């Protein structure tokens, strides 16, 4: 399936009346199990990818080329639309961000997210004008070719400023972002305000709010269109691994070795397209 076909499929998911869940994969095996479960699109997770490589997310520790190769693998092995969680767009300038979007299209991705982070722990959120200019540069390349998500990480970096969050998201929408996203708003009142402010553009939410995980039905009732999982499934897997290690340490080989059948995985891998 061509990149444009995957883009059209991904865009159409956002135009349905109901919300959809987009799980985030961290390798080929996880992506294939997600496809087998019936999900219609996948996302990368910059946090899970960085952790799987032994690195810390959000500090430019994963290169654009590494993330592109990872996202391209997920696209190839599943044949599903894949949304790339591409941090700040990889580069110092708006032109660098535009180049990243073009590279994502060339790699076959159906969607890409550009956030207002800087990679600088001392000043993690970029100034408003700079952030908008970067999304605008992305949008010029993305239009009609890849679903562009404009994202602000205010809440993730201890800035629970609803007014500034809405200001940023509406500006991203005005310059051409297709989807808007602010991870972990303070509570559902902030979610509702964000959805209302950027309407009719669709809103992505990762799992829930700072107040906790929210049922899908409640998110849908609030107008959220896409629900991503971020690194939560990767951390679920690590939690299961930790429990298995405790069981092995206690001498319980049977419990420690419980899991999916390797034969099942081999069948999925064998059926997947070759590189």
């Amino acid at each position: 399936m061509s990149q444009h076909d995957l883009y059209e499929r991904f865009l159409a998911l956002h135009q349905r009346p109901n919300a959809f869940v987009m799980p985030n994969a961290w390798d080929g095996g996880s992506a294939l199990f997600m496809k087998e479960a019936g999900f219609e699109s996948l996302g990368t997770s910059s946090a899970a990818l960085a952790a799987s490589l032994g690195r810390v997310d959000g500090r430019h520790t994963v290169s654009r080329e590494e993330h592109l190769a990872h996202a391209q693998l997920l696209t190839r092995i599943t044949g599903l639309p894949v949304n790339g969680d591409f941090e700040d767009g990889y580069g110092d300038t708006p032109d660098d961000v535009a180049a990243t979007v073009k590279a994502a299209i060339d790699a076959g991705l159906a969607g890409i997210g550009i956030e207002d982070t800087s990679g600088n722990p001392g000043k993690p959120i970029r100034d408003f004008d700079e952030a908008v200019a970067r999304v605008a540069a992305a949008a010029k390349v993305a239009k009609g070719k890849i679903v562009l998500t404009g994202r602000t990480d205010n809440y993730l970096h201890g800035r629970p400023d609803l007014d500034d969050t809405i200001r940023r998201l509406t500006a991203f929408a005005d310059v051409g972002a297709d989807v808007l996203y602010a991870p972990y708003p303070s509570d559902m009142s902030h979610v509702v305000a964000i959805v209302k402010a950027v309407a009719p553009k669709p809103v992505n939410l990762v799992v829930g709010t700072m107040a906790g995980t929210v049922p899908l039905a409640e998110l849908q009732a609030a107008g959220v269109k896409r629900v991503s999982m971020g690194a939560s499934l990767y951390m679920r897997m690590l939690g299961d691994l930790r429990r298995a290690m405790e069981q092995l340490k206690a001498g319980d080989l049977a419990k420690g070795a419980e899991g999916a059948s390797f034969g099942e995985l081999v069948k999925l891998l064998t059926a997947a397209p070759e590189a």
Side-chain angles (χ1 to χ4, degrees):
M1 185 171 294
S2 71
Q3 185 276 334
H4 186 74
D5 289 338
L6 291 171
Y7 157 70
E8 292 283 0
R9 283 176 57 185
F10 191 46
L11 184 64
L13 293 177
H14 298 79
Q15 297 168 343
R16 292 180 180 176
N18 296 326
F20 69 97
V21 176
M22 181 184 73
N24 301 74
W26 57 89
D27 63 8
S30 62
L32 287 172
F33 274 105
M34 291 170 187
K35 178 183 180 179
E36 183 187 42
F39 289 99
E40 297 180 84
S41 66
L42 304 178
T44 68
S45 163
S46 66
L49 174 59
S52 73
L53 296 171
R55 306 172 197 172
V56 178
D57 182 41
R59 300 183 185 178
H60 297 158
T61 59
V62 177
S63 71
R64 178 174 68 182
E65 290 68 30
E66 287 175 310
H67 202 153
L68 281 168
H70 170 68
Q72 195 169 33
L73 166 67
L74 302 186
T75 299
R76 176 188 64 77
I77 205 168
T78 65
L80 295 176
V82 171
N83 182 72
D85 176 24
F86 271 54
E87 301 187 51
D88 67 348
Y90 295 108
D92 294 330
T93 70
D95 286 344
D96 291 330
V97 178
T100 295
V101 175
K102 183 180 185 305
I105 295 169
D106 291 343
L109 273 66
I112 186 169
I114 303 295
E115 60 198 46
D116 59 3
T117 55
S118 68
N120 177 5
K123 188 181 179 183
I125 301 296
R126 294 180 186 271
D127 291 337
F128 175 83
D129 289 342
E130 181 185 12
V132 174
R134 293 169 72 87
V135 174
K140 289 180 181 178
V141 180
K143 187 175 182 181
K145 298 178 180 178
I146 192 169
V147 176
L148 173 64
T149 298
R151 165 175 160 173
T152 177
D153 276 11
N154 268 346
Y155 294 101
L156 281 179
H157 289 283
R159 295 168 39 139
D161 186 334
L162 177 60
D163 290 340
D164 184 64
T165 296
I166 287 176
R167 180 184 179 224
R168 287 170 180 263
L169 294 180
T170 54
F172 296 163
D174 288 344
V175 297
D178 301 300
V179 180
L180 290 311
Y181 179 21
Y184 295 107
S186 297
D187 54 40
M188 284 303 295
S189 69
H190 283 218
V191 174
V192 171
I194 288 168
V195 170
K196 182 178 179 181
V198 302
K201 293 285 182 81
V203 169
N204 180 90
L205 193 70
V206 58
V207 185
T209 70
M210 287 290 185
T213 304
V214 179
L216 179 61
E218 186 175 346
L219 297 178
Q220 182 169 287
V224 173
K225 186 60 65 174
R226 187 177 83 199
V227 181
S228 57
M229 302 302 294
S232 61
L233 295 175
Y234 178 71
M235 295 310 299
R236 164 70 183 272
M237 180 271 298
L238 289 182
D240 289 344
L241 178 62
R242 173 181 281 169
R243 283 187 289 275
M245 293 305 97
E246 292 170 351
Q247 291 160 344
L248 284 178
K249 187 69 174 176
D252 192 338
L253 299 182
K255 282 290 185 182
E258 280 183 351
S261 162
F262 190 71
E264 291 178 275
L265 177 58
V266 170
K267 287 181 180 179
L268 293 175
L269 289 168
T270 302
E274 294 184 2

